[in-house]
Amino acid sequence: MQKLEQTFRWFGPKDEVTLAAIKQTGATGIVTALHDIPCGEIWPEEQIRERKQTIATAGLTWSVIESINIHESIKTGAADRDHWIEKYITSLKNAAACGLKTVCYNFMPVLDWTRTDLDFRLDNDASALRYDATALAAFELFILKRENVEAEFNETEKRAAENYFRKLSPEEKQTLQQTIMAGLPGTDEVFTPDEFKVHLKKYEHVDASGLRENLAYFLQAIIPAAEAVGIKMCIHPDDPPFPILGLPRVVCNAEDLEYIVNAAPSPSNGITFCTGSLGANKANDLPAMLKQFGPHIHFLHLRNVKREPNGSFYEAEHLDGDNDMVSVMEQVILEQQRRLAEGREDVSIPMRPDHGHKILDDKNYNTYPGYSVIGRLKGLAELRGLELGLRKYLISSTGQRGNSH
């Protein structure tokens, strides 16, 4: 039985979630990056090998790089973007020389994933991540105060944001600011509003169309090099999957993904299918998207969200949110069956449980937001059981069922 490769994200030697702890979860693969290397700079082969050896010594495999981050000059289409693209290609070649073959990345401007609350308490007192549309509007209108921001909200939204902001203490306002302005995962970088406005200035002439063109330019430059060394690139969807903070988003739905895979057709130009990011938009039909883009999916982030009518959402239990994880997993297994029938080598798709709750002893550790060990272990166990049960069901069911997909 060809199962998914079970992986766990690790943020390196400073991560309080140790490799020894990860090994006890049952995961065999590690998803990590050289977070100490500045964005855009070349990953030295020696450092890649050293990190890979550290992981191997713990009895695990470095399965996926997440992420080799993309310099902002590439995203904005600046005059020096080719310089940074060449550095990116060198990092890919160095990674391939060390036997690493899957690279997850994103094309979100300035910030990575964005939340407004990193300690949202559920009924059972577990701690989850939350995106509150009203809280973000309050930040935009009364803290960031970017130019012409009022025009982006209707009167109801502005009143709600003002009422929300008035109730915040000075400490809560500071926490909100720091939560939204956090930089890249694995770093301690937090922008000030003034620093963020400097970055916004670089995007004043880059709308969604321009950002999409810059992404295509990047892909057309790097994908031939990636294919030559056997690397599979897999873009992560935007999180949340809609424009925020005056910045465009271009990896949000099926139309965006179709544009991306067609921008540089190649087995090396693929997708990280994140059910949480895509699932935050109720218009996205995740099982249908898995069926449509299955051959291009090189990596899976499996998590769930509970959506609210105004665009807010929080991270739910892995099997108990608004996303139909049973149908998602079924489509993943059917895609593996198709690959097996086609004789493809990449049948065991790496999968990791994403953004676990803080539960039990997790609260005693200072882990990166969303990356507790027990909460993710719980998610991995649930996903592992779901996968095993569905595989046995699909094997025992009639051939007509498999053909119906």
Side-chain angles (χ1 to χ4, degrees), residues 74-77 81 107-109 202-217 235 238 241-244 246-253 255-257 259-260:
I74 298 174
K75 298 175 189 177
T76 60
R81 65 177 169 179
F107 215 73
M108 287 181 273
K202 298 175 183 177
Y203 283 88
E204 62 182 356
H205 299 300
V206 182
D207 59 8
S209 177
L211 185 63
R212 188 176 288 112
E213 290 173 3
N214 293 340
L215 172 55
Y217 184 95
I235 193 165
D238 298 332
F242 41 78
I244 58 171
L247 294 167
R249 300 280 198 174
V250 295
V251 194
C252 299
N253 52 41
E255 181 183 353
D256 292 338
L257 295 179
Y259 175 89
I260 289 163

Side-chain angles (χ1 to χ4, degrees), residues 157-176:
E157 291 168 334
K158 284 189 279 192
R159 280 195 301 272
E162 184 175 5
N163 291 335
Y164 177 92
F165 188 72
R166 282 178 176 174
K167 295 176 183 178
L168 296 180
S169 68
E171 293 76 16
E172 289 170 331
K173 292 174 184 176
Q174 183 64 24
T175 297
L176 178 64

